[in-house]
Amino acid sequence: MRKRIGFFICHCGINIAGTVDVKKVSEGLSKYPGVVHSEDYIYMCSDPGQSRMVEAIKEKKLDKVVIACCSPTLHETTFRNAAKVAGINSFQCEIANVREQCSWVHKDMKKATAKAIKISKAAIERARLNESLEPISVPVTRRALVIGGGISGIQSALDLANSGYEVILVERSPSIGGHMIQLSETFPTLDCSQCIMTPKMVEVSKHPKIKLLTYSEIQEVAGYIGNFKVKILKKPTYVDPDKCTLCDECTKVCPVAVPNEFELGLTRRRAIYIPFPQAIPATYTLDINNCPGLFPIACGKCADVCEPGAIDFDMKPEILEEEVGSIIVSTGYDLYGKEEMAEYGYGKYEDVLDGLQFERLLSASGPTMGKILRPSDHKEPKEVVFIQCVGSRDPELHCAYCSKICCMYTAKHAMLYKHHVHDGQPYVFYIDIRSGGKDYEEFVQRAIEEDGVIYLRGKVSKIFQEGDKIKVWGVDTLSGKVIEIDADMVVLAMAMRPSEGASELAKKLKIALDKDGFLAEAHPKLRPVESLTSGMFLAGAAQAPKDIPEAVAQASGAAVKAVNILSQDRLYHSPTIATVNLTLCTGCGMCVDVCAYEAIKLEEGKAVVNEVLCEGCGTCSATCLRAAIKVKNITPLQVHEMIKVALGG
Amino acid sequence: MVKLDDIKKECKSILEEGKVKYIVGYKRNNNYYMSIPAFIEKIEETDQLIWDPTCVYNLVRFLRDEKLRKERQKTPDTRPIGVIVKGCDSRAINVLLQEKFIKRENVYIIGVACEKSGVIEKKKLRKKFNEKNIKQIEFGKDNNFIITTEKGKTTISAEEILAERCIECNNNTPVIYDVLLGEKVERSLSEHFRSLEKFESISTEEKWNFWKKELDKCIRCYACRSVCPMCYCDECIADSISLAVKPDTTAEEKAQKIRWVEKSPVSSENFSYHLIRALHLAGRCIDCGECERVCPVDIPLRYLNKKMEKEASEQFGYTAGLDPEKPALVSDFKDDDPQDFII
Amino acid sequence: MEEKFEPKIIAFLCKWCSSAGSDLAGVSRMKYPPNVVPITVMCSGSISPNYILSAFKDGADGVLVSGCHPGDCHYIKGNYYARRRITLVKELLEFIGIEPERFQMSWVSAAEGAKYTEIIKDFVKELEPLGPQNKLRSNL
């Protein structure tokens, strides 16, 4: 079929017409092959301008139009909508940018006019080969999955559920709560962490829209934005939570004692246990790895004493399959381990603790019921050394990044220590104090001025035990003095790092990691809660070290981003996507490798494009040696023709 | 040096065991001194096999033919074919595996190490001998070749007639094989990219004059493409085709072919063809030298590919055909790839 | 009188950074010579070596490829692939004796209208003494 192309050039007042002879362009293009209508008008984007275009399309039965005007970023949509009104497909309208890229940057009218003609011809050549396309749309599964039940995951789940969407919250440990439930009091307000956390945990458990899966792990994720299919492994707890009355008889008879994870090894727990009294779900878990054995039953004492008969040794792992439209990943952090920090005697000396262990000592419900006592001899420590940046900001040996929260929690630790032990003396070794945040600087000042915390700027060079003291040697770089402290206890502000297993999970989700192993955001400034995989969002310390308010803010942000998707009936996607010529494709998979969106897969030896994931960048097309893949409406043939006319034909 | 008997023994045994459908190797071409490819199906035919410095061909090319043949057959014999490969050729197999063109189980690789030797280059040979008089060329001791002419045997240092690519080779041992014959020996006969130096030190105009003279000779016979193990596309983009023509292809669709290169053997089109070919072989060419060997007008095609090989190696640390599991040169990047030329 | 040689330049610009940067040059009313005709593509990663060779064959005296700065690609990593691909094209063209000045690559962000202006000005200045590019140009 012969193409009937209409060409319109806008004067844009004198913005274009001042430098480009629009009459000459219009006249020149009227003789160009395929062009059956050519005109110039003072303001094409005005209503009368658009009407002229619509009328011309109708009257002259145009099937394609090219408008030479300003940058397509400004009015491409305007003219494409007008083209649609006139009855042609919006992709049959192309823009020739003769203002920003021509009239505004040149002075010589003759040359600018010649260039405007070339630009216009190139746009006509492109339009000539444009396909009519309709936006691609896919239905949306209006449910969300939140992975990780710490404060971030809880916040995201609640926000989503309160917006009316069903949420599946998956947590791998037996209870939700994450690290926040382990904390004693939180900076800078010193409100009790458990007091503010437990109501949220209870809300999660009671919320009709939230399906809570604890002791569960993500096994497999397939699909794409709006339509993810997730397989979740629910591990057996061997305790029926509905029957369990929390009588605690089972733990009394269990013969096994292992380090208590919740108390960070400061106490021991049984093989059957509740992680902590306020655990959600409120039930016991039989830790099969430490139980004397179920296959065959080696002990069975817990079941014998369980009056309600809640213990069920026949419980089996279950694989649950769920469909969701969006996924929020909030897998949190771990502290740097003792293996990595042997130089500070961590893991070697009982009274060298990490920050979370000290939180437990401070906690009213902790192993010492809120009294600060040394793990080694249960004596009250009178001199405590806090060391900041342990493992952080050390690109040579450890992590290059700043763990961000340590300055503040160390100030809090030192302050709370002083509140407990009035005659004690806290020292803090620091590199810098980073106290950006609402009321944070004031908090640190309070620790120094009101609570008499001694801040020493410098690094600790050596820690060793001598008698019942822990000798801390260092240098105060401000005074230049050598410091030697006979400490009773040392608390290390360990670096935060991505939680264990985060990278394996990221692989399953196809979410990229940054250089430190944290989940990578789509853009460091403008898309901080989105992952590079569309439909998946990031919340909390899984993305980077952050404190509670930041984690909560990001969690709410992620929830809103998920709602953006879940609130749609269908998702619409640009149809200018890659398409494969199956005859030419040899299945080499180079396009699969270069696709940033994992939108291409090999099926039966041929590349197949997922039209929802493809963003139409065309990197696949330049990579393909067989010219077997191209992006619709900016095909190599179109560019080839554009090059010809852009050079004068 | 690899013993011919070892090659024959291996080939006999895999044919006996029925492990392979047939074996592609080298045999004598009647009385001519150069070898030709041999397709050995029967055990007794293994006696035809030879191994000498004239085994220049990259037999990996035949894997493509085999693949196409198998695709046409209704009930193909799915056993692998055996193929005798030198170090360079073996890397071609890796590239084909990397590009998923063949499967590992489709091929039984009989790797033959070149050790400290290699194959001859006819151009060099012709300068020293009258080709017609040569009866046979064999591997001698201490890196020598023994040349038999009507007048008798002459021993010549291998380097004198060794192919330039062999002199520059640093993959003298196959990198992938089912069986390896010969010894893995380290050698560095020369700088890996030495032959390029003479091009890189000359002026832009000298470079142009050289290539203009060479590429203007091209008659576009496409022998280079036909012999190349990497040129396995059914349709080459140099054939003005971006779309396969089928019975139901409309005239309009036919018009949608992109003519990146016109067929006429004129300067501009010859350049386009050879530049596109060099770029398409970047990170894939394993320097088997076949393109240059078959060129009827003696265009030194190898240098175009060698240049790409050099940049891949020096700028991106990439060598073709070493690891079939890794992404290809152009479907991978490093954050710190060099970018000095970018403004 | 002999007419002054006016080099013809094709600039392949990625839509999100370099084309936007050249738009900014316009909005800021910067001035550069009209020798360049831009062709906007989605991403520098989509620029095939065929485009570049084609432009020279069709008579371009100079070709510019421009994309987002490393790390800023709208499509995450297209410009990194472009960098590798274009490096190979550049090396090959120089190897066969095409003046290095004739083929350039730049990173131009959406904020770098001034940089784009300078690049074009310099490009024209560098091409002028070289005269027309006839080496790869097709006479067909």
Side-chain angles (χ1 to χ4, degrees), chain A residues 589-624:
Chain A
M590 279 161 79
C591 53
V592 178
D593 289 338
V594 298
C595 181
Y597 304 97
E598 307 233 8
I600 312 177
K601 274 195 296 194
L602 288 181
E603 281 174 20
E604 290 171 20
K606 300 279 177 188
V608 176
V609 178
N610 179 315
E611 49 183 32
V612 183
L613 295 181
C614 176
E615 293 283 335
C617 71
T619 297
C620 52
S621 138
T623 307
C624 182

Side-chain angles (χ1 to χ4, degrees), chain B residues 209-227:
Chain B
N209 292 337
F210 175 86
W211 285 107
K212 166 91 173 145
K213 187 173 134 260
E214 292 295 343
L215 293 182
D216 277 1
K217 294 192 296 195
C218 178
I219 54 170
R220 300 288 285 285
C221 67
Y222 300 120
C224 48
R225 189 171 80 186
S226 304
V227 79

Side-chain angles (χ1 to χ4, degrees), chain B residues 73-112:
Chain B
Q73 288 164 352
K74 271 187 192 150
T75 49
D77 182 344
T78 53
R79 281 179 300 167
I81 63 167
V83 59
I84 294 179
V85 295
K86 304 182 284 292
C88 47
D89 309 337
S90 78
R91 286 163 55 217
I93 292 185
N94 265 345
V95 177
L96 294 181
L97 289 171
Q98 181 181 35
E99 296 176 3
K100 300 168 192 68
F101 184 71
I102 55 166
K103 294 196 181 91
R104 184 64 184 88
E105 60 266 28
N106 295 152
V107 55
Y108 186 90
I109 307 166
I110 304 158
V112 181

Side-chain angles (χ1 to χ4, degrees), chain A residues 71 97 101 104 106 111, chain C residues 6 22-23 31-32 36 85:
Chain A
S71 169
N97 179 351
Q101 295 182 342
W104 272 352
H106 306 314
K111 287 177 181 168
Chain C
E6 290 285 358
S22 96
D23 277 356
K31 298 286 177 246
Y32 54 81
V36 58
R85 202 167 4 250

Side-chain angles (χ1 to χ4, degrees), chain A residues 358 384-388 409-410 412-415 417 425-430 453 460 489-493:
Chain A
F358 195 68
V384 179
V385 173
F386 296 88
I387 307 173
Q388 296 192 172
Y409 79 62
T410 301
K412 176 191 78 179
H413 284 169
M415 188 188 273
Y417 164 71
Q425 180 57 57
Y427 302 90
V428 176
F429 278 93
Y430 71 102
V453 180
V460 169
M489 182 184 273
V490 173
V491 180
L492 307 176

Side-chain angles (χ1 to χ4, degrees), chain B residues 199 204-205 207-208 211 237 260 262 268-269 271-272 275-276 279 303-304 307-308 311 315-316 329 331-335 337 339 341-343, chain C residues 49-51 53-54 57 70 77 80-81 83-84 87-92 94-99 104-107 115 135-138 140:
Chain B
F199 293 97
T204 298
E205 280 324 289
K207 284 179 194 167
W208 171 252
W211 285 107
I237 72 150
W260 296 116
E262 298 289 347
S268 64
E269 308 313 305
F271 268 93
S272 282
L275 293 180
I276 290 177
L279 288 165
Y303 296 133
L304 292 176
K307 174 66 180 172
M308 293 290 89
E311 298 312 323
Q315 301 207 44
F316 309 121
L329 171 67
S331 53
D332 196 14
F333 66 86
K334 293 198 192 90
D335 284 349
D337 276 346
Q339 55 169 23
F341 73 100
I342 302 174
I343 312 165
Chain C
N50 295 343
Y51 296 179
L53 297 175
S54 207
K57 215 160 70 124
K77 50 184 188 171
Y80 288 107
Y81 294 114
R83 184 168 66 183
R84 268 204 179 185
T87 301
L88 294 171
V89 177
K90 174 121 183 109
E91 294 289 352
L92 187 62
E94 291 184 26
F95 184 69
I96 59 145
I98 304 301
E99 298 83 351
Q104 309 206 1
M105 182 170 184
S106 61
W107 303 133
K115 182 175 177 184
K135 289 176 178 171
L136 298 177
R137 189 184 187 141
S138 163
L140 294 173

